[in-house]
Amino acid sequence: MKKTLRIATAVVTAVGGLTLLGSPAQAADGSITGTITGTGPTPLSIRVSAVDQDTFDSTEPVTVAKDGSFSIPAVGAGIVRVCFQADYGEFRERDFCTDSFTLSSGASVRVDQQYGSIAGSVSAPDEGGLADVSVDVYASEVARNGARRYVSGDRTDAEGNFRVDFVPGPGVKVYAEPETDAFAGEWFQDQASFDAATTIVPGSQAAAS
């Protein structure tokens, strides 16, 4: 029988949500403007692009301004996602995409996104922190096609600690999967499935029972 592990603590700092606002435009193609702001370590740069859900065609990435604003011109009509990529230096990058939405021909859509950091530890009763555990972070809201939206992940260090930066709002669910067969993987707060998993909300701190 596999042993039980524990995601001991998890914190999300100042993560907001995603806001979509649409308005008519005159261009043949659509356009996307907005802001991305957050807390935690500041990326050296953030690039943003629009990706077509059906063809996977992407616009040329644009660099987000220092105030967090961006503008993606000439985006083809269709079902698109907005994808952000943060560069933290030393070959460390984090990225995520919004859920898909419909961009009509000639429409202008505003996307305002916030992000934060999530940190915690994974341990087992009577054994302390567990090293080299894969920690996966998923958006709490599934995509419009019903699929889970993977955000990012990390591996625990020698003491069982992990940290994931550039985590989008409005909430996430965390899953831990040990390398060894001695432990069973589980979701935050000892849950067995994504649906049952506890959502970690903005600015919260929770400890597993």
Side-chain angles (χ1 to χ4, degrees), residues 22-97:
S23 62
Q26 300 302 318
D29 289 325
S31 63
I32 301 173
T33 60
T35 58
I36 178 167
T37 56
T39 61
T42 302
L44 299 178
S45 65
I46 300 176
R47 297 191 300 169
V48 57
S49 58
V51 179
D52 187 282
Q53 177 177 279
D54 297 323
T55 65
F56 299 104
D57 290 340
S58 174
T59 61
E60 188 71 22
V62 297
T63 300
V64 174
K66 290 184 178 180
D67 64 359
S69 63
F70 63 87
S71 177
I72 310 173
V75 182
I79 300 176
V80 301
R81 296 177 297 163
V82 178
C83 295
F84 301 91
Q85 183 180 61
D87 179 9
Y88 285 93
E90 298 181 348
F91 304 102
R92 191 166 70 95
E93 294 184 341
R94 296 289 189 185
D95 59 77
F96 65 81
C97 296

Side-chain angles (χ1 to χ4, degrees), residues 63-149:
T63 300
V64 174
K66 290 184 178 180
D67 64 359
S69 63
F70 63 87
S71 177
I72 310 173
V75 182
I79 300 176
V80 301
R81 296 177 297 163
V82 178
C83 295
F84 301 91
Q85 183 180 61
D87 179 9
Y88 285 93
E90 298 181 348
F91 304 102
R92 191 166 70 95
E93 294 184 341
R94 296 289 189 185
D95 59 77
F96 65 81
C97 296
T98 68
D99 194 7
S100 55
F101 58 91
T102 299
L103 180 66
S104 302
S105 179
S108 177
V109 172
R110 182 175 181 86
V111 174
D112 291 321
Q113 177 71 58
Q114 289 184 302
Y115 65 89
S117 298
I118 179 171
S121 62
V122 178
S123 62
D126 303 322
E127 298 195 32
L130 297 178
D132 204 31
V133 175
S134 175
V135 178
D136 296 322
V137 181
Y138 294 85
S140 58
E141 299 174 351
V142 298
R144 52 192 286 169
N145 64 1
R148 297 177 194 167
R149 291 193 290 132

Side-chain angles (χ1 to χ4, degrees), residues 8-21:
T9 60
V11 181
V12 175
T13 56
V15 180
L18 167 69
T19 303
L20 298 177
L21 299 173

Side-chain angles (χ1 to χ4, degrees), residues 143-185:
R144 52 192 286 169
N145 64 1
R148 297 177 194 167
R149 291 193 290 132
Y150 176 78
V151 173
S152 191
D154 192 19
R155 301 194 76 83
T156 57
D157 62 18
E159 285 75 41
N161 300 312
F162 68 88
R163 180 185 179 93
V164 182
D165 296 315
F166 208 57
V167 177
V172 294
K173 296 187 177 186
V174 178
Y175 181 75
E177 180 70 30
E179 285 291 311
T180 173
D181 290 335
F183 296 93

